């Protein structure tokens, strides 16, 4: 008998909302609770495409805006066979940023519409749950200064947040907004409980396709 598949759980949110911290904590907690779970982060900087993206983010390399958007998407697509394998083996994937970051960041640039930005990611594995870690720019600022990577400035981040709000209007997706101003521990407890509900709900639900 084929066992049930793993869940695809995505963490999104503005910079410094705590996505990576919570992603690591969630995977640990799910494992302790007896689930099989793995963490995946996008951009996944170790592949050839990922290294190119990383040098762009570190401002070592300049790339045309459309071209880099397609590279971020290609970096997700190159991981799809692995993601599907794991999910079908019953492994839950906790994903730190996904297509929503891709669309929110590029569409915050001049002359990009949301619809164009979504197209390359149409058909990716559809998340069973998207946790949006919501934090005001003021609260994010308290968590330390922006680094030197591309996009790390507050006026751009405000536009990114607006794009996220547009994407969250899509009711075909299971968005859950979490108040990310809470302590790491409180946030973790809340996220763990929402994730466990999603795992229970999976039953025999087939894996969907994003934006299709
Ligand atoms: N991008 C990404 C695109 O343009 N297109 C795409 O398709 C994709 C996938 C790199 C950039 O790429 C862009 C978006 C980004 O600009 P990244 O590598 O994920 O993306 O970005 P990072 O800089 O690594 O991560 P963030 O800045 O977004 O931070 P996180 O992961 O949200 O936050 P985290 O957990 O690292 O925490 C940040 C700090 O806050 C503290 C932590 O200890 C840490 O110091 N903290 C808390 N403090 C108080 N209370 C809490 N609850 C806290 N939680 C964490
Ligand atoms: Na991060």
């Amino acid at each position: 008998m084929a066992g049930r598949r793993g869940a695809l759980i995505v963490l999104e949110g503005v910079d410094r909302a705590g996505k990576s911290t919570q992603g690591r904590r969630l995977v640990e907690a799910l494992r302790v609770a007896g689930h099989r779970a793995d963490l995946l982060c996008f951009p996944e900087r170790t592949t050839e495409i990922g290294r190119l993206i990383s040098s762009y983010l570190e401002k070592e390399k300049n790339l045309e805006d459309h071209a880099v958007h397609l590279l971020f998407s290609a970096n997700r697509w190159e991981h799809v066979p692995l993601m599907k394998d794991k999910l079908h083996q019953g492994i839950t994937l906790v994903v730190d940023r996904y297509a929503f970051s891709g669309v929110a960041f590029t569409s915050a640039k001049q002359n990009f519409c949301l619809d164009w930005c979504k197209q390359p990611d149409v058909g990716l594995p559809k998340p069973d749950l998207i946790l949006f870690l919501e934090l005001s720019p003021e609260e994010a600022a308290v968590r330390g200064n922006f680094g030197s990577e591309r996009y790390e400035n507050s006026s751009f981040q405000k536009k990114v947040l607006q794009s996220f709000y547009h994407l969250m209007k899509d009711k075909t997706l299971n968005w859950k907004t979490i108040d990310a101003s809470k302590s790491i521990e409180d946030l973790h407890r809340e996220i763990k409980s929402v994730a466990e509900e999603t795992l229970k709900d999976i039953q025999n639900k087939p894996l969907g396709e994003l934006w299709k």
Side-chain angles (χ1 to χ4, degrees):
M1 195 192 86
R4 68 161 64 171
R5 69 171 172 90
L8 179 56
I9 299 173
V10 168
L11 287 159
E12 286 283 8
V14 293
D15 282 29
R16 285 171 302 168
K19 299 176 294 298
S20 298
T21 305
Q22 293 301 327
R24 287 190 296 268
R25 292 291 306 269
L26 179 58
V27 168
E28 279 169 25
L30 290 174
R31 287 177 178 169
V32 167
H35 300 284
R36 289 198 291 161
D38 280 343
L39 183 67
L40 186 60
C41 305
F42 289 117
E44 202 293 297
R45 301 187 191 215
T46 67
T47 64
E48 271 177 71
I49 294 169
R51 282 194 291 277
L52 199 53
I53 292 171
S54 192
S55 65
Y56 169 80
L57 288 170
E58 289 163 9
K59 296 181 186 163
E60 279 169 17
K61 201 179 212 85
N62 280 317
L63 293 165
E64 199 276 334
D65 289 329
H66 299 79
V68 79
H69 182 74
L70 297 174
L71 287 175
F72 273 111
S73 177
N75 184 233
R76 285 183 281 279
W77 280 107
E78 67 180 340
H79 287 87
V80 167
L82 178 79
M83 290 172 72
K84 285 187 171 171
D85 268 5
K86 289 193 175 191
L87 290 167
H88 289 127
Q89 281 172 40
I91 301 170
T92 286
L93 291 179
V94 175
V95 181
D96 180 357
R97 295 191 192 270
Y98 200 47
F100 315 100
S101 276
V103 174
F105 278 76
T106 302
S107 69
K109 296 178 177 179
Q110 296 234 300
N111 301 319
F112 280 90
C113 70
L114 223 55
D115 206 47
W116 186 89
C117 292
K118 283 164 78 173
Q119 293 316 306
D121 286 311
V122 169
L124 281 177
K126 180 179 174 176
D128 298 296
L129 171 68
I130 312 160
L131 294 157
F132 185 75
L133 273 56
E134 190 173 41
L135 192 68
S136 70
E138 293 73 25
E139 284 165 311
V142 179
R143 295 187 182 173
N145 292 319
F146 279 117
S148 54
E149 281 208 334
R150 213 176 282 265
Y151 306 144
E152 293 187 334
N153 70 78
S154 58
S155 67
F156 191 77
Q157 292 286 328
K158 281 178 187 156
K159 289 183 191 156
V160 170
L161 185 58
Q162 291 313 309
S163 301
F164 272 124
Y165 287 143
H166 275 288
L167 291 172
M168 287 162 71
K169 288 180 189 160
D170 181 348
K171 299 300 174 210
T172 69
L173 292 167
N174 184 21
W175 286 95
K176 170 97 179 135
T177 302
I178 307 275
D179 173 5
S181 69
K182 295 178 185 169
S183 73
I184 290 177
E185 209 50 51
D186 285 352
L187 263 174
H188 169 63
R189 264 194 295 274
E190 186 175 348
I191 287 173
K192 182 173 165 251
S193 119
V194 179
E196 279 177 336
E197 280 308 306
T198 300
L199 255 72
K200 277 187 209 145
D201 280 352
I202 288 289
Q203 305 292 352
N204 296 316
K205 266 188 212 161
L207 184 63
E209 292 177 300
L210 181 63
W211 292 325
K212 256 190 160 174

